[in-house]
Amino acid sequence: MSMRSQVYAWNGNAFLAPAVTSANPWVAGNAGVQTSIFIGGFGNNITKPAETTATEFVVIEDVACTPTLPATGAATSAGTTVAGQLNGWVQAVAAGGAGTGTFGPRGYVQVRINTTDYFLNPDNVTNDGIPGTGSPYPRSLDFQPSFNLYPDVYVLPGQVWDVRYTAYCAQLNWGTTAAAIATGADHNAFCKYTLYDGPDALIANKLLEMGISINPGNVDWYKRSLLSAQGM
């Protein structure tokens, strides 16, 4: 039996698809298109979709991606403008210009279970998910979340699941240095989840039937209850 807390960090610094050599991180037509951070062909990937076996239960606890904030101020020198909110991220614009108005990819993360997206509009139409501004990754003193994934997302035994990233910034409008603008490499996403296997997965299913939140503390509580009931 086991409970394993795991994280998957998608590295946007290797964002280009294999054999793509363009400096633009978004190949033609990819802006606004959902991309799997697991098997989407961009950045670090795994070899097959994320799925649970008949003896596994997954609880997704957090998702996040690169934040986007407004650009502030005008260009301080030819070729760059600085937004202090983003720790010196710069844009390639003419001196005195205001750039695109934003720094960052305008990115979103969505959770998908089988073929159903988790985050929906009030009319039950799927949307892009949670913006990186609300759930930023990486997090720091400057970037704190205003969104909390609660309740957690449950992936039942035998289901296929995915975390999908969408960004709308097709142009190269940010980077940590003027030279970095040429790569636009700040596409990143993150997922934290707990995998319950074997008997622990059975307990997770039982807690789900009982309407009790599934977390390591409640799983251990149920184990102690079983032992107490048997006089052990």
Side-chain angles (χ1 to χ4, degrees), residues 12-40:
N13 292 330
F15 193 79
L16 291 175
V20 174
T21 58
S22 168
N24 194 322
W26 288 104
V27 294
N30 202 53
V33 177
Q34 279 193 353
T35 300
S36 169
I37 70 172
F38 296 136
I39 59 170

Side-chain angles (χ1 to χ4, degrees), residues 114-132:
N114 289 337
T115 59
T116 303
D117 287 344
Y118 183 77
F119 299 107
L120 304 174
N121 293 330
D123 57 359
N124 289 326
V125 174
T126 185
N127 58 39
D128 294 321
I130 301 304

Side-chain angles (χ1 to χ4, degrees), residues 67-73 82-89 101 103 140-143:
T68 299
L69 289 177
T72 58
V82 178
Q85 292 170 296
L86 288 174
N87 297 321
W89 282 10
F103 283 76
S140 66
L141 291 176
D142 296 317
F143 298 109

Side-chain angles (χ1 to χ4, degrees), residues 136-179:
Y137 171 76
R139 291 173 184 172
S140 66
L141 291 176
D142 296 317
F143 298 109
Q144 292 295 316
S146 59
F147 168 83
N148 180 33
L149 186 59
Y150 182 83
D152 298 329
V153 179
Y154 298 152
V155 185
L156 305 182
Q159 290 185 326
V160 177
W161 63 283
D162 200 357
V163 175
R164 304 177 71 83
Y165 174 78
T166 305
Y168 285 90
C169 181
Q171 67 270 36
L172 305 177
N173 78 328
W174 77 97
T176 52
T177 66

